[in-house]
Amino acid sequence: MEYLYEYGLFLAQALTFVVAALLLVAGVVALGQRHKARAEGHIEIRKVNEKYRDIADAMRAAMTDPAAQKLAEKARQKAKKAEAKAAKKRAKKQESKGEKSRNKLFILDFDGDIKASACDQLREEISAVLPHVGEGDEILLRLESPGGMVHGYGLAASQLQRITAAGAQLTVAVDKVAASGGYMMACVAQRIIAAPFAVLGSIGVLAQLPNFHRLLKKHDIDFELLTAGEYKRTLTLFGENTDKGREKFIEDLERTHTLFKAFVTENRPALDIEQVATGEVWYGREAVAIGLIDDVQTSDAYVQSQLEDRDVFEVSWVERKNWQDKLGVAAQGAIERALLKLWQHNRGPHA
């Protein structure tokens, strides 16, 4: 009994802490929303060639003895100065002759959620990069998404169409998953590469919702839904759904699926759309055979293959966070840590 009393007391204290923290977060979010202005941010650019050059230098340093390391460092510094001098001379020569500098590869990232929230960053990155893409340059999008809302991913795909409409080369690399809305984005590219076990496809449309009508009826709770327009609402969460409403809902799904298939066909006309538009998914190795992608390759391998002949840049849009956002993130982290500790305490010994 004493153990149960202590356990109950601990649980009550923990629950009180969690509730207080949730109230704090809610207050911070409400305050932030009240004073929130249009999100601002900036573009960050990193030259990937330099990143891999630094890594190579560090590896060499770790694998050589101190004496040889000093000699190698002197040689590297000498080579670096010679390279910089040659690059400057080459740039002047190209400028005087009107020649183009080395081709460029711009790397963008898209990590998709159900709402395609990363589209906000994507549009800023494309707007920043597109004016600087010349003949022979390329944009690589590292795409990861299981799909989500049609309108969100439709907009994200339209942002990528800005690249191809401008005549620029777009390659999409999928290391893990580009399904449904994710593939809707990927198919815009002139070239799609994917890792051997990346998941691709799912060219279909899904909608599901619970219905609580029988539960409300059991407890004598009435629910009224008032609409103007016969099909303003076809299926509901709380009302009694009809066969006519279900038929209309399915009709809407089929129409969306038809538009999805037409979009994929427009961008990859060689693809047998009826074969792949079944909602199924395929792994990278299988996807090549049916034309969903063009090659099996990881994004890392592709980037490294470009370093010798191109200047490679990672481009990302970073939003500026106000103090309310930062405080909210900190409070959320504190709550998650507290819940994890509570779970671990109640779970007892574990591996």
Side-chain angles (χ1 to χ4, degrees):
M1 289 296 293
E2 184 179 351
Y3 170 78
L4 291 175
Y5 172 77
E6 291 179 356
Y7 177 78
L9 183 62
F10 168 79
L11 195 60
Q13 290 173 339
L15 186 59
T16 301
F17 171 78
V18 170
V19 170
L22 286 172
L23 290 174
L24 173 63
V25 172
V28 169
V29 171
L31 183 62
Q33 290 294 329
R34 198 158 44 240
H35 298 284
K36 194 170 184 179
R38 187 180 182 275
E40 296 181 355
H42 63 277
I43 284 288
E44 288 188 356
I45 304 171
R46 179 170 68 160
K47 193 169 183 179
V48 179
N49 306 69
E50 295 175 357
K51 167 190 167 183
Y52 279 100
R53 190 179 299 123
D54 292 341
I55 292 173
D57 290 344
M59 289 294 294
R60 279 192 294 266
M63 295 186 293
T64 55
D65 61 78
Q69 188 175 330
K70 285 184 180 180
L71 292 173
E73 182 60 29
K74 286 182 180 179
R76 277 196 300 273
Q77 291 299 330
K78 187 177 180 180
K80 195 173 182 180
K81 288 180 181 178
E83 183 183 343
K85 188 176 180 180
K88 190 175 180 181
K89 187 177 179 181
R90 189 166 54 249
K92 285 184 178 179
K93 185 179 178 181
Q94 288 171 341
E95 186 178 355
S96 63
K97 291 186 176 182
E99 295 177 356
K100 189 179 180 297
S101 59
R102 289 212 323 167
N103 288 332
K104 297 179 285 293
L105 173 67
F106 298 98
I107 303 174
L108 313 180
D109 289 291
F110 187 95
D111 188 4
D113 58 17
I114 193 169
K115 297 188 294 183
S117 304
C119 184
D120 292 335
Q121 287 75 42
L122 181 66
R123 71 203 311 175
E124 298 286 357
E125 291 162 1
I126 292 174
S127 295
V129 166
L130 206 52
H132 303 282
V133 178
E135 185 180 352
D137 295 339
E138 181 181 352
I139 295 176
L140 172 68
L141 178 69
R142 294 185 295 208
L143 170 64
E144 302 296 337
S145 176
M149 295 180 177
V150 175
H151 60 278
Y153 279 92
L155 177 59
S158 298
Q159 293 297 329
L160 295 181
Q161 285 184 311
R162 293 171 56 195
I163 299 173
T164 56
Q169 175 66 30
L170 172 63
T171 298
V172 165
V174 183
D175 288 327
K176 295 180 182 176
V177 57
S180 197
Y183 190 78
M184 181 188 290
M185 291 178 63
C187 74
V188 174
Q190 292 98 334
R191 186 173 181 228
I192 307 173
I193 62 175
F197 288 94
V199 176
L200 302 119
S202 189
I203 302 173
V205 184
L206 168 69
Q208 55 185 351
L209 69 161
N211 183 266
F212 301 97
H213 173 69
R214 284 187 294 176
L215 179 64
L216 296 179
K217 187 176 180 180
K218 180 180 178 181
H219 291 84
D220 295 325
I221 300 173
D222 293 327
F223 174 79
E224 293 186 8
L225 178 66
L226 306 178
T227 63
E230 185 179 3
Y231 295 118
K232 179 62 179 176
R233 180 71 68 233
T234 52
L235 297 183
T236 76
L237 289 171
F238 302 104
E240 184 176 5
N241 291 319
T242 64
D243 290 338
K244 188 176 182 180
R246 291 188 187 93
E247 289 174 5
K248 177 58 179 172
F249 194 84
I250 293 171
E251 180 185 325
D252 292 340
L253 289 180
E254 292 291 350
R255 190 175 79 237
T256 305
H257 190 209
T258 299
L259 291 171
F260 191 175
K261 291 192 294 183
F263 185 81
V264 175
T265 301
E266 177 186 339
N267 287 280
R268 290 185 76 85
L271 191 62
D272 183 350
I273 193 64
E274 296 306 325
Q275 179 188 4
V276 299
T278 59
E280 298 173 79
V281 295
W282 288 266
Y283 292 112
R285 291 189 185 279
E286 302 169 323
V288 173
I290 59 176
L292 281 172
I293 65 172
D294 302 294
D295 195 15
V296 175
Q297 189 178 26
T298 63
S299 63
D300 305 284
Y302 185 73
V303 169
Q304 285 197 294
S305 72
Q306 303 297 308
L307 294 174
E308 186 175 347
D309 300 320
R310 286 179 166 177
D311 290 329
V312 182
F313 301 93
E314 285 182 345
V315 181
S316 58
W317 172 260
V318 180
E319 286 191 358
R320 184 182 303 158
K321 293 183 179 180
N322 55 34
W323 67 268
Q324 295 99 333
D325 294 329
K326 293 177 181 178
L327 183 57
V329 170
Q332 180 181 354
I335 293 172
E336 289 176 352
R337 288 192 295 273
L339 290 173
L340 179 61
K341 286 181 180 179
L342 177 62
W343 176 75
Q344 289 174 337
H345 181 275
N346 291 339
R347 186 182 173 207
H350 57 278

